[in-house]
């Protein structure tokens, strides 16, 4: 049984088919890229995996269990974290509070213990302190120390993308879904993203599923690549095969 | 007894249908649930009252002034307040209409006091017409007729006049409408004006039935919302049907179950409908895309 | 940039700076001495404002944090008040226990109302809660158990051996409870549950993908908000000595929403300030007449153009206008104005220092 598998995933909105019979498998520790032109169904696939959409047909398996049909928060608790193409941060909250939200499922304080946080020794305070310590290294790893206590809404776009990634990492996921990490970035920043992804994989025990519009970046990073066009899988294989695949070349030339 | 109950239901339902229609046509255009709808109509009814009692004008003139005032109030509310908001989120829009309603409520109380006043009206609420076993007041008959005719006019306006069709086009797709030369901003203002006039007709028909005071339209506002939710906040025809339905259900409940808790029916209907079919009986559901 | 010695408790502790202890002691001194300094009838006003502050805290949890709107909180206030009074009169439950029960019963109704609320957004929820508030008063007004339109007299309350007679002794109970509840809500807001609440209003979808059970927390926020409002209802009954359905109106619900909007949604300080201002306005509707210069002018204006009997209603106009202008000018309310003021002073202080360094790109 593979670590993560998608089998015959299909998603229709009314008459529009956004995903058509997509299947792939991801092994533990891989970086798996999904590429495709705009509107090819990449983000729809992520929304199905993280439970935001209920797929029209098909199954999704994570560590041998079927997860399609589960609510988003259940899927998150199984160890799947994600970022969004259009950043979905809690914009009025500070960076650290955004990350602490990533700790939600690892913490336990409820209303009563929260209200009764009367000193350092009370349970809620201890839990808060411990978890803040735990995410500190992520803040340092992603170079967010200077913006730790600033509301994320006022940070530059690139920094917000890093905060979102940090928040997903704070969840200590087994599978990380990264949606367009290099969107809106220049060549230098893209290179930095590539380095960071490799770093993450090396330092954390995390499998990465990557959606990327920028083909070179996606293929360069990946151990395995799936190419979509108009919701249909057109090619799947090792990066070298994909680079030379005629269908892929055609899809991208057509897209301009 | 049943035909009698249905007749009263129809008469009450006419008011709810008018309020529901007024609420729905602005909601469709701007997604604003206008909580000031009731008090805008209440203040307009007081304007008519002022002309009738203080200036002793005729009914037609006084009501005409009230309707013109209502139109301007609607247009002004949209143009001077709603449109100028910095952050027009759902919550802020709702709160804006609530703030406006409180100000209007206070204004009416300040100007005319909280006393319950007798509202002069050309048609009596005490004279009764008999249809077989059913007896209903001339005021109820007039209410049913006037509301019916007005709603028919509104539909004819939106379906068959050039301006009405253009307004509907703007409601459905503001950008496309602008390309076709329909000034979207003017349309939104106009919608609020028309909706305010419809609400005011409801108020003018309610005031002689009960008495005139600043709380005149509170009940009608809730019922209008309940009716609109029942029929579908996005569907004017549905909302009107919802209004009649609510009037009838409420009166049936009052007749056969409990008079005291008649007013609770509207709330129950809201909760039940929203639970099982959030888009209303006649509406279609929209889902948010990520 | 690594800070190995950071104390992470620093982030969530109540007093971040040394001066804040002094501020707290000052606040307590003021709160304790206030009823001794003011004339007796003003203490009643203070009690009223404190009750409003508790409701404001509750509204802030619901509207400010989870972004759910309620136009029916007067209903929870009524549920709290009637629960407490009925427990005291019918079952001879002592006041402190009856007050706690008022919170729990109200929370239960909050939970019930929270369930349909899960499926409703924006306008629909506003309408449903509006209906709820009206339904509560209707049911109370028509039931013999609740005394109908005539209302109920609140029995004398005692805390242990001490009778609560007179506004001053009630003041210490009410303000003490308000203070404790405010601290509790503040603690809640910086810990796990409060964070989940706020995440929901920012982005429900993102919250869910972080593992937050959105349905659970939305219902929970209704229950917490209703519990606070229920306790406020009990205290309102205690301070007025009499309750009737006429107290718990739709306009009161609007007032409750108004005060958190005016104070600043999502900010506890804002909610407290907004509630104090609006509570005062709501009770002292005729306060404007007593103002030194404006008062007579207002009276003159009323006589000429409006009416003098209706002058107390001027308070509603002011309340409504405050909401309208808050939304127009500073949607974050008083709290937003405060933040802006801080920003401008900071900026004017730091401009010189910043100029010497390299400007942009130093995020």
């Amino acid at each position: 049984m593979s670590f993560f598998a998608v089998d015959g995933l299909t998603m229709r909105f009314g008459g529009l088919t956004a995903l058509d019979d997509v299947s792939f498998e991801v092994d533990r520790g891989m970086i798996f890229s999904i590429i495709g032109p705009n509107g090819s169904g990449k983000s729809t696939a992520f929304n199905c995996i993280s439970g935001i959409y209920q797929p029209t047909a098909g199954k999704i398996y994570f560590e041998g269990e079927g997860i399609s049909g589960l609510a988003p928060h259940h899927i998150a608790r199984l160890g799947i974290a994600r970022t969004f193409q259009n950043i979905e941060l809690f914009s009025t909250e500070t960076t650290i509070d955004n990350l602490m939200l990533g700790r939600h499922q690892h913490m336990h304080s409820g209303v009563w213990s929260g209200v009764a946080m009367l000193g350092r020794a009370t349970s809620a305070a201890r839990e808060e302190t411990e978890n803040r310590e735990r995410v500190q290294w992520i803040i340092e790893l992603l170079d967010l120390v200077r913006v730790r206590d600033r509301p994320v809404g006022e940070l530059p776009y690139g920094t917000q993308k890093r905060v979102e990634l940090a928040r997903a990492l704070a969840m200590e996921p087994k599978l990380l879904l990264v949606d367009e990490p290099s969107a809106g970035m220049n060549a230098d920043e893209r290179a930095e993203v590539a380095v960071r992804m490799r770093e993450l994989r090396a330092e954390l025990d995390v499998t990465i599923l990557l959606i990327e519009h920028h083909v070179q970046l996606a293929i360069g990073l990946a151990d395995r690549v799936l190419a979509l066009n108009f919701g249909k899988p057109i090619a799947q294989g090792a990066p070298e095969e994909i680079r030379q695949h005629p269908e892929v070349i055609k899809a991208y030339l057509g897209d301009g | 007894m049943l035909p009698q109950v249905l007749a009263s239901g129809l008469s009450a339902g006419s008011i709810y249908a008018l309020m529901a229609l007024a609420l729905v046509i602005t909601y469709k255009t701007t997604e604003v649930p206008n909580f000031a709808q009731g008090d805008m109509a209440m203040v307009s009814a007081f304007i008519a009252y002022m002309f009738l009692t203080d200036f002793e004008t005729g009914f037609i003139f006084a009501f005409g002034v009230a309707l013109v005032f209502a139109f301007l109030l609607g247009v002004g509310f949209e143009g001077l307040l709603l449109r100028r908001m910095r952050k027009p989120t759902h919550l802020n829009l709702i709160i804006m209409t609530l703030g406006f309603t409180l100000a209007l409520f206070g204004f009416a109380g300040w100007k005319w006091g909280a006393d319950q006043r007798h509202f002069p009206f050309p048609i009596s609420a005490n004279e009764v017409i008999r249809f077989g076993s059913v007896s209903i007041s001339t005021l109820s008959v007039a209410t049913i007729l006037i509301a019916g005719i007005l709603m028919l006019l509104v539909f004819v306006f939106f379906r068959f006049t050039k301006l009405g069709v253009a307004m509907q086009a703007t409601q459905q797709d503001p950008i496309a409408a602008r390309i076709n030369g329909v000034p979207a901003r003017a349309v939104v203002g106009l919608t609020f004006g028309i909706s305010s006039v419809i609400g005011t007709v409801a108020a003018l028909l309610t005031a002689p039935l009960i008495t005139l005071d600043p709380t005149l339209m509170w009940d009608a506002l809730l019922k209008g919302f309940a009716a609109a939710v029942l029929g579908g906040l996005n569907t004017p025809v549905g909302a009107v049907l919802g209004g009649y339905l609510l009037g009838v259900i409420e009166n049936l409940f009052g007749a056969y179950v409990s008079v005291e808790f008649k007013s609770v029916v509207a709330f129950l209907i809201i909760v039940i409908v929203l639970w099982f079919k959030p888009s209303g009986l006649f509406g279609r559901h929209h889902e948010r895309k990520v | 940039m690594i800070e190995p010695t950071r104390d992470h408790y620093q982030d969530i502790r109540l007093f971040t700076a040394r001066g804040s202890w002094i501020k707290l002691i000052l606040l307590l001194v003021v709160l304790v001495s206030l009823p001794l300094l003011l004339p007796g009838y003003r203490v009643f006003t203070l009690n009223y404002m404190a009750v409003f502050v508790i409701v404001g805290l509750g509204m802030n949890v619901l509207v400010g944090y989870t972004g759910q709107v309620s136009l029916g909180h007067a209903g929870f206030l009524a549920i709290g008040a009637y629960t407490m009074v009925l427990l005291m009169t019918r079952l001879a439950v002592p006041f402190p226990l009856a007050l706690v029960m008022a919170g729990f019963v109200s929370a239960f109704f909050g939970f019930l109302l929270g369930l349909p609320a899960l499926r409703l957004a924006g306008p629909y929820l506003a309408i449903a809660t509006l209906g709820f508030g009206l339904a509560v008063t209707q049911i109370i007004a028509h039931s013999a158990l609740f005394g109908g339109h005539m209302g109920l007299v609140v029995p004398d309350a005692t805390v242990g051996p001490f009778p609560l007679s007179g506004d001053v002794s009630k003041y210490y109970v009410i303000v003490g409870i308000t203070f404790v509840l405010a601290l509790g809500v503040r603690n809640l807001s910086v810990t796990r549950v409060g964070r989940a609440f706020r995440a929901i209003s920012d982005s429900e979808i993102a919250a869910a993908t972080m593992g937050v059970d959105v349905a659970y927390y939305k219902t929970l926020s209704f229950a917490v908000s209703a519990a606070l409002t229920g306790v406020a209802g009990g205290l309102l009954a205690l301070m007025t000595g009499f309750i009737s359905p006429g107290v718990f109106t739709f306009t009161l619900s609007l007032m409750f929403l108004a005060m958190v909007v005016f104070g600043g949604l999502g900010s506890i300080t804002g909610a407290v300030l907004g509630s104090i201002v609006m509570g005062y306005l709501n009770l002292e509707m005729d306060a404007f007449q007593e103002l030194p210069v404006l008062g007579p002018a207002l009276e003159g204006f009323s006589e000429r153009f409006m009416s003098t009997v209706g002058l107390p209603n001027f308070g509603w106009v002011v309340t409504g206008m405050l909401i309208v202008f808050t939304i127009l000018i500073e949607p974050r309310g008083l709290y937003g104005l405060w933040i802006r003021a801080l920003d401008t002073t900071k900026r004017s202080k730091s401009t010189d220092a910043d100029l010497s360094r390299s400007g942009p790109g130093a995020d």
Side-chain angles (χ1 to χ4, degrees):
Chain A
M1 198 74 211
S2 58
F3 175 67
F4 178 78
V6 168
D7 182 19
L9 188 65
T10 301
M11 182 77 209
R12 289 193 200 94
F13 299 103
L16 183 88
T17 304
L19 279 178
D20 192 1
D21 198 17
V22 175
S23 303
F24 59 90
E25 289 189 8
V26 181
D27 293 331
R28 185 187 290 276
M30 250 188 187
I31 294 183
F32 187 103
S33 287
I34 303 179
I35 62 168
N38 284 334
S40 59
K42 300 180 305 269
S43 285
T44 308
F46 267 21
N47 286 336
C48 288
I49 295 169
S50 54
I52 294 168
Y53 292 162
Q54 298 301 324
T56 317
K59 293 267 183 247
I60 302 166
Y61 299 94
F62 179 60
E63 297 190 306
E65 305 273 337
I67 61 163
S68 32
L70 292 182
H73 65 270
H74 280 300
I75 292 173
R77 284 174 198 171
L78 293 175
I80 301 182
R82 70 168 292 181
T83 68
F84 292 84
Q85 185 178 359
N86 308 311
I87 303 171
E88 293 265 351
L89 282 169
F90 308 113
S91 54
T92 52
E93 309 284 314
T94 59
T95 300
I96 178 73
D97 277 334
N98 268 277
L99 264 66
M100 285 300 286
L101 215 94
R103 299 300 302 164
H104 183 84
Q105 53 180 326
H106 298 288
M107 296 169 71
H108 307 284
S109 303
V111 172
W112 296 115
S113 53
V115 166
M117 188 186 68
L118 294 174
R120 195 183 280 273
T122 49
S123 71
R126 258 186 288 129
E127 190 180 59
E128 279 291 321
T129 318
E130 277 165 22
N131 280 280
R132 276 164 198 269
E133 271 162 26
R134 273 188 96 106
V135 296
Q136 186 62 29
W137 72 270
I138 301 176
I139 291 183
E140 282 155 19
L141 179 74
L142 291 182
D143 193 21
L144 294 168
V145 175
R146 267 180 299 182
V147 298
R148 183 183 183 277
D149 297 309
R150 296 224 343 236
V152 295
E154 60 187 46
L155 302 179
Y157 178 82
T159 316
Q160 290 196 14
K161 282 236 144 201
R162 287 213 304 280
V163 175
E164 211 191 17
L165 184 62
R167 185 181 65 178
L169 290 174
M171 293 169 69
E172 294 181 18
K174 296 173 195 158
L175 176 65
L176 177 63
L177 314 182
V178 187
D179 198 341
E180 302 275 5
S182 81
M185 293 186 177
N186 62 30
D188 289 345
E189 291 164 329
R190 262 202 305 277
E192 202 185 304
V193 167
V195 171
R196 187 172 310 128
M197 287 297 146
R198 288 208 187 86
E199 231 176 53
L200 289 182
R201 199 229 331 231
E203 287 194 24
L204 312 167
D205 178 27
V206 63
T207 308
I208 297 177
L209 189 54
L210 184 73
I211 291 182
E212 184 48 65
H213 181 70
H214 195 268
V215 188
Q216 294 313 321
L217 177 68
I219 295 181
L221 271 171
D223 301 305
R224 206 173 158 76
V225 181
L226 166 72
L228 294 178
N229 198 17
F230 297 111
K232 286 197 181 66
I234 53 173
Q236 192 177 155
E240 280 318 301
E241 295 168 46
I242 297 299
R243 236 188 271 272
Q244 285 146 20
H245 199 286
E247 288 277 339
V248 176
I249 295 168
K250 209 175 91 193
Y252 276 88
L253 284 177
D255 190 48
Chain B
M1 186 166 171
L2 187 64
Q4 180 71 53
V5 173
L6 291 179
S8 328
L10 216 56
S11 156
S14 297
I15 302 287
Y16 305 161
L18 282 176
M19 284 305 283
L21 179 65
L23 291 166
V24 164
I25 60 174
T26 46
Y27 183 77
K28 254 188 85 143
T29 320
T30 53
E31 299 220 328
V32 184
N34 186 2
F35 285 93
Q37 192 85 60
D39 285 343
M40 285 162 73
M42 176 270 294
V43 170
S44 305
F46 262 113
I47 296 287
Y49 175 82
M50 192 171 76
F51 273 82
L52 287 172
T53 55
D54 295 354
F55 309 140
E56 295 178 358
T57 64
F59 285 112
I60 295 179
F61 183 78
F63 291 169
V65 170
L67 294 180
V68 170
F69 174 83
F71 183 81
L72 295 177
L73 188 62
V75 174
F77 175 46
E78 195 278 327
L80 298 178
L81 297 180
L82 284 179
R83 188 180 295 166
R84 285 167 205 277
M85 284 172 56
R86 282 205 180 175
K87 250 179 89 187
T89 59
H90 267 301
L91 184 62
N92 285 349
L93 284 166
I94 290 175
I95 290 166
M96 175 61 97
T97 69
L98 290 170
F100 190 54
T101 215
L102 265 189
L104 288 174
F105 175 74
F107 175 83
W110 187 17
K111 173 89 187 153
W112 294 290
D115 300 339
Q116 301 185 320
R117 291 156 191 263
H118 170 71
F119 187 76
F121 201 70
I123 301 161
S124 159
N126 302 322
E127 268 172 55
V128 167
I129 305 177
R130 301 191 71 90
F131 299 97
S133 65
V134 182
S135 51
I136 68 179
S137 70
T138 44
L139 180 64
S140 294
V141 175
T143 301
I144 294 172
L145 289 178
I146 293 171
I149 292 168
L150 177 66
M151 286 186 283
L152 213 62
L153 282 177
V154 172
F155 285 115
V156 169
F157 172 75
F158 278 114
R159 185 105 347 136
F160 298 112
T161 65
K162 214 175 156 191
L163 181 61
V165 172
M167 286 176 68
Q168 265 205 320
T170 317
Q171 290 175 359
Q172 269 140 21
D173 189 348
I175 297 163
R178 177 153 328 157
I179 293 167
N180 291 322
V182 182
R185 289 189 154 193
V187 165
V188 176
L190 200 57
T191 309
F192 272 85
I194 292 174
S195 140
S196 171
V197 167
I198 298 171
T200 300
V201 172
L204 292 175
L205 291 169
T206 309
L209 187 66
I210 48 181
T211 47
L212 181 60
D213 70 73
T215 65
L216 176 74
M217 295 304 279
W218 281 10
D219 189 57
L221 179 75
L222 173 72
K223 303 294 169 60
F225 269 125
V229 167
L230 180 61
L233 260 178
N234 276 313
T235 46
V237 182
V240 167
L241 292 178
Y244 287 119
L245 207 57
L246 178 63
V248 171
I249 294 173
E250 205 182 53
N251 276 281
L252 284 173
F253 186 88
Y256 297 107
V257 187
S258 151
V259 190
E260 281 95 33
F261 297 113
K262 205 171 121 182
S263 304
V264 184
V265 173
F267 168 66
L268 281 179
I269 286 181
I270 291 176
V271 170
I272 293 168
V273 171
L274 289 178
W275 184 259
F276 289 105
K277 200 164 182 305
S279 49
L281 293 179
F282 312 101
R284 261 167 284 138
H285 196 60
H286 299 278
E287 263 183 53
R288 190 202 154 186
K289 273 197 164 189
V290 191
Chain C
M1 283 314 269
I2 294 169
E3 303 164 84
T5 53
R6 176 186 277 279
D7 174 7
H8 289 271
Y9 181 63
Q10 200 71 39
D11 289 348
I12 48 169
R13 71 187 306 167
L14 197 47
F15 307 107
T16 37
R18 226 162 259 190
S20 42
W21 273 109
I22 300 170
K23 279 186 207 155
L24 176 80
I25 290 165
L26 268 177
L27 177 67
L28 282 177
V29 168
V30 169
L31 285 180
V32 168
S33 55
L34 216 47
L36 309 173
L37 301 174
L38 287 174
Y41 67 95
R42 287 286 176 215
V43 179
F44 185 82
T45 314
L46 290 178
N47 289 348
Y48 196 76
M49 281 151 61
V51 168
F52 264 59
V53 167
I54 300 177
V55 179
L57 292 169
M59 285 298 284
N60 186 47
V61 167
L62 186 73
V63 189
Y65 289 169
T66 59
Q68 305 182 89
V69 67
S70 168
L71 302 180
H73 259 53
F76 294 122
L77 196 75
I79 289 171
Y82 277 87
T83 303
M84 190 189 83
V85 172
L86 286 176
L87 283 176
M88 286 169 73
T89 49
R90 303 266 161 157
L91 302 174
V93 176
F95 160 72
L97 185 60
L99 185 66
V100 172
M101 289 305 293
F104 276 109
V105 171
S106 189
F108 175 71
F109 279 94
F111 168 75
L112 285 187
L113 185 62
L115 287 179
L118 290 177
R119 308 184 45 148
L120 311 178
Y124 291 95
L125 182 58
I127 296 163
T129 52
L130 166 69
F132 165 78
L134 294 177
V136 169
T137 34
Q138 287 287 337
I139 290 172
I140 289 171
H142 292 111
S143 303
L145 175 67
F146 302 112
H149 283 291
M150 303 300 294
L152 294 174
V153 175
V154 183
D156 293 334
T158 53
V159 177
F162 306 105
L164 294 179
S165 55
D167 289 337
V168 176
S169 61
K170 288 174 184 171
Y171 170 89
Y172 288 113
V173 169
I174 294 173
V175 170
I177 292 173
T178 308
F179 188 77
V180 170
L181 289 177
L183 281 187
V185 171
R186 182 265 167 202
N187 281 345
L188 187 67
S189 78
V190 297
T191 49
R192 178 170 173 267
V193 174
R195 233 178 350 247
F197 283 165
R198 279 175 290 153
I200 289 173
S201 72
D202 256 348
S203 168
E204 254 180 58
I205 285 170
T209 57
M210 301 283 107
V212 175
D213 184 345
V214 173
Y216 173 80
Y217 281 98
K218 276 184 152 184
T219 326
L220 186 64
S221 77
F222 249 104
V224 171
S225 178
L228 287 162
T229 310
V231 170
L235 293 176
L236 182 73
L238 172 75
M239 63 166 286
T240 54
F242 173 74
I243 50 173
S244 72
V247 176
F248 308 97
T249 57
F250 168 56
T251 37
L252 190 63
S253 288
L254 280 192
M255 196 67 136
F256 290 159
L257 183 64
M259 60 201 197
V260 283
V261 171
F262 175 61
L265 283 175
S267 145
I268 292 179
T269 321
V272 170
L273 288 179
S275 306
I276 288 175
V277 173
M278 291 281 176
Y280 184 78
L281 268 182
N282 193 42
L283 188 67
E284 310 276 323
M285 279 288 185
D286 47 3
F288 296 100
Q289 285 157 270
E290 292 159 15
L291 289 173
V293 184
L294 281 174
L298 189 65
E299 263 179 68
F301 181 83
S302 297
E303 214 166 324
R304 188 101 190 261
F305 300 104
M306 305 301 277
S307 72
T308 36
V309 282
L311 189 54
N313 286 295
F314 183 66
W316 291 116
V317 180
V318 174
T319 312
M321 290 320 245
L322 279 180
I323 301 173
V324 166
F325 285 109
T326 305
I327 293 287
L328 274 185
I329 295 160
E330 177 50 75
R332 289 176 303 167
L334 287 179
Y335 178 73
L337 287 178
W338 170 243
I339 293 289
R340 263 207 233 169
L342 279 188
D343 274 3
T344 35
T345 48
K346 237 188 240 167
R347 211 159 285 157
S348 59
K349 264 186 209 163
S350 60
T351 347
D352 304 327
D354 277 352
L355 281 176
S356 55
R357 271 184 246 136
S358 71
D363 66 86

